[in-house]
Amino acid sequence: EAGGSAVALSSADADEDNLPPPPSRHLFPPESLRSLLEWREIRGAGPGLSNLGNTCFMNAVLQCLAYTPPLANACLDRTHSQGCHATGYCLYCELESHVRAVHQPKAPRAIAPRALARRLRSVSRAFRPGRQEDAHEFLIGLLQRLQEAALLPHGGEEQVGAEVAQTTELMQTFGGTLCSRLRCAVCERTSTSYEGFVDLALELRGASSVERAPRALTPPRTLTLTLSLTLSLSLSLSLSLTLTRTLPQ
Protein backbone atom coordinates (compact mmCIF):
# COMPACT_ATOMS: atom_id res chain seq x y z
CA GLU A 1 0.00 0.00 0.00
CA ALA A 2 1.12 3.52 -0.69
CA GLY A 3 1.75 5.93 2.12
CA GLY A 4 -0.78 8.61 3.05
CA SER A 5 -1.21 11.05 0.17
CA ALA A 6 -2.33 14.50 1.26
CA VAL A 7 -4.57 16.37 -1.16
CA ALA A 8 -5.35 19.96 -0.17
CA LEU A 9 -8.38 21.67 -1.71
CA SER A 10 -8.66 25.43 -1.58
CA SER A 11 -10.59 28.27 -3.16
CA ALA A 12 -8.70 31.28 -4.49
CA ASP A 13 -9.72 34.67 -5.81
CA ALA A 14 -9.44 35.11 -9.55
CA ASP A 15 -6.23 36.75 -10.74
CA GLU A 16 -4.35 37.01 -13.97
CA ASP A 17 -2.59 33.69 -13.44
CA ASN A 18 -5.94 31.92 -13.21
CA LEU A 19 -7.53 33.48 -16.28
CA PRO A 20 -8.03 31.11 -19.20
CA PRO A 21 -6.04 31.84 -22.35
CA PRO A 22 -7.88 34.20 -24.71
CA PRO A 23 -9.95 32.42 -27.38
CA SER A 24 -8.73 32.45 -30.96
CA ARG A 25 -11.85 34.44 -31.88
CA HIS A 26 -15.14 35.67 -30.45
CA LEU A 27 -18.45 34.61 -31.92
CA PHE A 28 -20.05 37.66 -30.30
CA PRO A 29 -17.73 40.69 -29.90
CA PRO A 30 -17.23 41.66 -26.23
CA GLU A 31 -17.52 45.33 -27.16
CA SER A 32 -20.98 44.63 -28.62
CA LEU A 33 -21.99 42.88 -25.41
CA ARG A 34 -20.85 45.87 -23.35
CA SER A 35 -23.37 48.00 -25.20
CA LEU A 36 -26.12 45.63 -24.05
CA LEU A 37 -25.31 45.66 -20.33
CA GLU A 38 -27.47 48.67 -19.42
CA TRP A 39 -31.12 49.41 -20.08
CA ARG A 40 -31.59 51.98 -22.83
CA GLU A 41 -34.66 53.36 -21.12
CA ILE A 42 -36.31 52.83 -17.78
CA ARG A 43 -39.92 51.66 -17.79
CA GLY A 44 -42.39 50.57 -15.18
CA ALA A 45 -43.28 47.00 -14.36
CA GLY A 46 -44.05 44.93 -17.41
CA PRO A 47 -46.87 42.44 -17.92
CA GLY A 48 -47.35 39.32 -15.89
CA LEU A 49 -47.54 35.84 -17.42
CA SER A 50 -50.68 33.73 -17.39
CA ASN A 51 -50.52 30.30 -15.78
CA LEU A 52 -51.40 27.85 -18.56
CA GLY A 53 -51.67 24.85 -16.28
CA ASN A 54 -48.77 24.28 -13.88
CA THR A 55 -46.50 26.55 -15.92
CA CYS A 56 -45.41 28.75 -12.99
CA PHE A 57 -41.91 27.21 -13.12
CA MET A 58 -41.59 28.27 -16.78
CA ASN A 59 -43.11 31.69 -16.17
CA ALA A 60 -40.66 32.42 -13.34
CA VAL A 61 -37.67 31.67 -15.58
CA LEU A 62 -39.08 33.63 -18.52
CA GLN A 63 -39.65 36.68 -16.34
CA CYS A 64 -36.08 36.53 -15.03
CA LEU A 65 -34.63 36.23 -18.53
CA ALA A 66 -36.86 38.98 -19.93
CA TYR A 67 -35.39 41.40 -17.39
CA THR A 68 -31.74 40.40 -17.73
CA PRO A 69 -30.41 43.44 -19.67
CA PRO A 70 -27.85 41.76 -21.99
CA LEU A 71 -30.25 39.05 -23.15
CA ALA A 72 -33.29 41.34 -23.26
CA ASN A 73 -31.46 43.99 -25.28
CA ALA A 74 -30.11 41.33 -27.66
CA CYS A 75 -33.66 40.06 -28.19
CA LEU A 76 -34.99 43.58 -28.73
CA ASP A 77 -32.27 44.06 -31.37
CA ARG A 78 -33.22 40.73 -33.01
CA THR A 79 -29.58 39.71 -32.63
CA HIS A 80 -30.30 36.02 -33.12
CA SER A 81 -33.23 35.96 -35.54
CA GLN A 82 -31.45 38.17 -38.07
CA GLY A 83 -28.84 35.46 -38.59
CA CYS A 84 -30.77 32.34 -37.58
CA HIS A 85 -29.97 29.24 -39.65
CA ALA A 86 -32.70 26.97 -38.23
CA THR A 87 -34.70 25.18 -40.92
CA GLY A 88 -37.65 24.50 -38.61
CA TYR A 89 -38.72 25.60 -35.16
CA CYS A 90 -36.18 27.75 -33.29
CA LEU A 91 -36.52 28.09 -29.53
CA TYR A 92 -34.22 31.12 -29.49
CA CYS A 93 -36.39 32.94 -32.05
CA GLU A 94 -39.46 32.07 -29.97
CA LEU A 95 -37.87 33.46 -26.82
CA GLU A 96 -36.85 36.56 -28.75
CA SER A 97 -40.45 37.13 -29.84
CA HIS A 98 -41.64 36.64 -26.26
CA VAL A 99 -39.15 39.16 -24.83
CA ARG A 100 -40.09 41.70 -27.50
CA ALA A 101 -43.76 41.27 -26.60
CA VAL A 102 -43.02 41.77 -22.90
CA HIS A 103 -41.20 45.04 -23.59
CA GLN A 104 -43.75 46.55 -25.95
CA PRO A 105 -44.75 50.03 -24.69
CA LYS A 106 -48.45 49.11 -24.80
CA ALA A 107 -48.14 45.51 -23.62
CA PRO A 108 -51.24 44.09 -21.88
CA ARG A 109 -51.30 43.48 -18.15
CA ALA A 110 -50.77 39.75 -18.74
CA ILE A 111 -49.27 37.70 -21.57
CA ALA A 112 -49.96 34.00 -22.19
CA PRO A 113 -46.71 32.34 -23.38
CA ARG A 114 -48.62 29.58 -25.20
CA ALA A 115 -46.06 29.09 -27.97
CA LEU A 116 -43.32 28.30 -25.45
CA ALA A 117 -45.63 26.15 -23.33
CA ARG A 118 -46.61 24.06 -26.36
CA ARG A 119 -42.93 23.47 -27.13
CA LEU A 120 -41.97 22.58 -23.57
CA ARG A 121 -40.47 19.26 -24.63
CA SER A 122 -38.09 21.07 -26.99
CA VAL A 123 -36.33 22.23 -23.82
CA SER A 124 -36.23 18.73 -22.34
CA ARG A 125 -37.88 15.50 -23.40
CA ALA A 126 -38.44 14.77 -19.71
CA PHE A 127 -40.92 17.66 -19.38
CA ARG A 128 -44.63 16.99 -19.73
CA PRO A 129 -47.24 19.70 -20.47
CA GLY A 130 -49.58 20.20 -17.54
CA ARG A 131 -47.14 18.77 -15.01
CA GLN A 132 -45.28 20.86 -12.48
CA GLU A 133 -41.56 20.87 -13.23
CA ASP A 134 -38.42 22.27 -11.61
CA ALA A 135 -37.57 25.88 -12.54
CA HIS A 136 -33.82 25.31 -12.27
CA GLU A 137 -33.95 22.31 -14.59
CA PHE A 138 -35.99 24.35 -17.04
CA LEU A 139 -33.49 27.22 -16.93
CA ILE A 140 -30.47 24.98 -17.54
CA GLY A 141 -32.22 23.09 -20.32
CA LEU A 142 -33.37 26.33 -21.93
CA LEU A 143 -29.89 27.85 -21.86
CA GLN A 144 -28.47 24.68 -23.42
CA ARG A 145 -31.01 24.81 -26.27
CA LEU A 146 -30.40 28.54 -26.78
CA GLN A 147 -26.65 27.93 -26.89
CA GLU A 148 -27.13 25.22 -29.53
CA ALA A 149 -29.18 27.67 -31.59
CA ALA A 150 -26.55 30.39 -31.18
CA LEU A 151 -23.83 27.99 -32.41
CA LEU A 152 -25.84 26.68 -35.36
CA PRO A 153 -24.79 29.47 -37.79
CA HIS A 154 -21.15 28.65 -36.94
CA GLY A 155 -21.46 24.90 -37.50
CA GLY A 156 -22.02 23.87 -33.87
CA GLU A 157 -19.61 23.33 -30.98
CA GLU A 158 -17.78 20.51 -32.75
CA GLN A 159 -16.90 22.92 -35.54
CA VAL A 160 -15.75 25.90 -33.46
CA GLY A 161 -14.37 24.02 -30.44
CA ALA A 162 -15.31 24.26 -26.76
CA GLU A 163 -13.12 27.31 -26.14
CA VAL A 164 -14.67 29.47 -28.86
CA ALA A 165 -18.15 28.14 -28.06
CA GLN A 166 -17.91 29.97 -24.72
CA THR A 167 -17.87 33.33 -26.56
CA THR A 168 -21.51 33.46 -27.67
CA GLU A 169 -23.62 36.26 -26.21
CA LEU A 170 -25.29 33.64 -24.00
CA MET A 171 -22.15 32.17 -22.47
CA GLN A 172 -20.57 35.59 -22.00
CA THR A 173 -23.70 36.58 -20.07
CA PHE A 174 -24.60 33.43 -18.13
CA GLY A 175 -21.43 31.34 -18.23
CA GLY A 176 -18.20 31.25 -16.32
CA THR A 177 -14.96 29.29 -16.21
CA LEU A 178 -13.67 26.99 -13.49
CA CYS A 179 -9.88 26.90 -13.33
CA SER A 180 -8.42 23.73 -11.80
CA ARG A 181 -4.73 23.77 -10.97
CA LEU A 182 -3.03 20.60 -9.73
CA ARG A 183 0.52 20.92 -8.37
CA CYS A 184 2.78 18.10 -7.28
CA ALA A 185 4.71 18.96 -4.13
CA VAL A 186 7.51 16.58 -5.15
CA CYS A 187 8.40 17.71 -8.67
CA GLU A 188 6.45 21.01 -8.41
CA ARG A 189 4.97 20.50 -11.84
CA THR A 190 1.59 22.13 -12.36
CA SER A 191 -1.29 21.00 -14.52
CA THR A 192 -3.98 23.58 -15.29
CA SER A 193 -7.35 22.92 -16.92
CA TYR A 194 -10.37 25.10 -17.64
CA GLU A 195 -14.01 24.07 -17.74
CA GLY A 196 -16.99 26.20 -18.68
CA PHE A 197 -20.14 26.18 -16.55
CA VAL A 198 -23.53 27.85 -16.40
CA ASP A 199 -24.51 26.94 -12.85
CA LEU A 200 -22.85 26.07 -9.55
CA ALA A 201 -24.27 24.67 -6.33
CA LEU A 202 -23.31 27.17 -3.62
CA GLU A 203 -23.58 26.96 0.16
CA LEU A 204 -25.20 30.23 1.25
CA ARG A 205 -25.08 29.56 4.97
CA GLY A 206 -22.16 31.41 6.50
CA ALA A 207 -21.68 33.62 3.43
CA SER A 208 -22.24 37.35 3.91
CA SER A 209 -23.32 37.76 0.28
CA VAL A 210 -23.98 35.73 -2.86
CA GLU A 211 -20.78 37.14 -4.37
CA ARG A 212 -18.75 35.75 -1.45
CA ALA A 213 -20.44 32.34 -1.51
CA PRO A 214 -18.23 30.95 -4.34
CA ARG A 215 -15.21 31.36 -2.06
CA ALA A 216 -16.63 28.55 0.04
CA LEU A 217 -17.16 26.32 -2.99
CA THR A 218 -14.01 24.40 -2.17
CA PRO A 219 -13.13 25.23 1.43
CA PRO A 220 -9.55 24.39 2.46
CA ARG A 221 -9.37 20.83 3.69
CA THR A 222 -6.95 17.93 3.69
CA LEU A 223 -7.85 14.47 2.48
CA THR A 224 -5.80 11.38 3.25
CA LEU A 225 -5.82 8.85 0.44
CA THR A 226 -4.63 5.28 0.69
CA LEU A 227 -3.79 3.77 -2.69
CA SER A 228 -3.25 0.09 -3.42
CA LEU A 229 -0.41 -0.08 -5.91
CA THR A 230 2.11 -2.70 -6.93
CA LEU A 231 4.86 -0.23 -6.06
CA SER A 232 4.85 1.79 -2.87
CA LEU A 233 4.12 5.41 -3.79
CA SER A 234 3.55 8.51 -1.71
CA LEU A 235 2.33 11.73 -3.34
CA SER A 236 1.48 15.14 -2.01
CA LEU A 237 -0.78 17.14 -4.33
CA SER A 238 -2.43 20.52 -3.97
CA LEU A 239 -5.52 21.44 -5.95
CA SER A 240 -6.86 24.98 -6.25
CA LEU A 241 -10.15 25.87 -7.90
CA THR A 242 -10.80 29.40 -9.14
CA LEU A 243 -13.87 30.97 -10.68
CA THR A 244 -13.35 33.53 -13.43
CA ARG A 245 -15.84 35.89 -15.01
CA THR A 246 -16.74 35.93 -18.70
CA LEU A 247 -18.96 39.03 -18.69
CA PRO A 248 -16.97 42.04 -19.97
CA GLN A 249 -16.30 44.71 -17.37
Side-chain angles (χ1 to χ4, degrees):
E1 290 187 353
S5 300
V7 181
L9 300 177
S10 64
S11 179
D13 292 332
D15 54 38
E16 293 185 359
D17 292 336
N18 294 322
L19 292 177
S24 57
R25 62 189 177 107
H26 282 83
L27 300 180
F28 193 84
E31 57 271 17
S32 297
L33 188 64
R34 290 190 187 95
S35 68
L36 304 177
L37 296 180
E38 302 291 339
W39 292 114
R40 292 155 187 169
E41 59 179 302
I42 303 299
R43 298 175 180 166
L49 301 182
S50 302
N51 191 325
L52 303 175
N54 287 330
T55 58
C56 53
F57 71 96
M58 179 187 75
N59 291 352
V61 172
L62 293 179
Q63 288 289 62
C64 289
L65 295 181
Y67 294 97
T68 300
L71 178 62
N73 286 327
C75 289
L76 292 173
D77 291 345
R78 297 182 186 273
T79 298
H80 174 74
S81 61
Q82 288 181 352
C84 180
H85 284 208
T87 55
Y89 176 78
C90 177
L91 187 59
Y92 203 154
C93 288
E94 193 70 71
L95 178 68
E96 188 178 277
S97 297
H98 170 78
V99 173
R100 291 177 61 82
V102 167
H103 288 281
Q104 287 298 318
K106 296 183 179 180
R109 295 187 62 183
I111 291 177
R114 290 190 175 87
L116 287 164
R118 284 196 298 266
R119 295 281 189 164
L120 194 60
R121 299 196 70 192
S122 67
V123 175
S124 172
R125 301 294 293 177
F127 291 160
R128 295 290 185 274
R131 188 176 70 182
Q132 184 62 263
E133 305 288 357
D134 183 78
H136 176 257
E137 291 181 7
F138 177 77
L139 172 62
I140 298 306
L142 180 60
L143 290 177
Q144 289 174 345
R145 300 292 87 76
L146 297 178
Q147 172 70 349
E148 291 171 0
L151 291 173
L152 188 59
H154 308 283
E157 183 170 338
E158 292 185 359
Q159 181 68 29
V160 300
E163 178 185 278
V164 174
Q166 294 295 310
T167 65
T168 63
E169 71 277 14
L170 288 162
M171 289 301 100
Q172 290 188 69
T173 301
F174 297 101
T177 304
L178 183 65
C179 171
S180 301
R181 179 168 289 114
L182 185 65
R183 183 178 62 85
C184 178
V186 178
C187 66
E188 297 189 349
R189 291 186 178 181
T190 301
S191 173
T192 303
S193 62
Y194 301 93
E195 182 180 359
F197 66 89
V198 292
D199 70 324
L200 291 170
L202 300 178
E203 179 57 67
L204 298 181
R205 289 177 297 181
S208 59
S209 68
V210 174
E211 290 186 349
R212 289 182 175 272
R215 299 181 182 181
L217 180 63
T218 54
R221 61 187 186 272
T222 300
L223 303 178
T224 300
L225 303 180
T226 301
L227 306 178
S228 296
L229 302 174
T230 303
L231 299 177
S232 178
L233 181 62
S234 178
L235 295 176
S236 179
L237 305 174
S238 63
L239 175 65
S240 63
L241 300 177
T242 304
L243 305 179
T244 63
R245 297 172 181 262
T246 57
L247 197 63
Q249 300 298 308

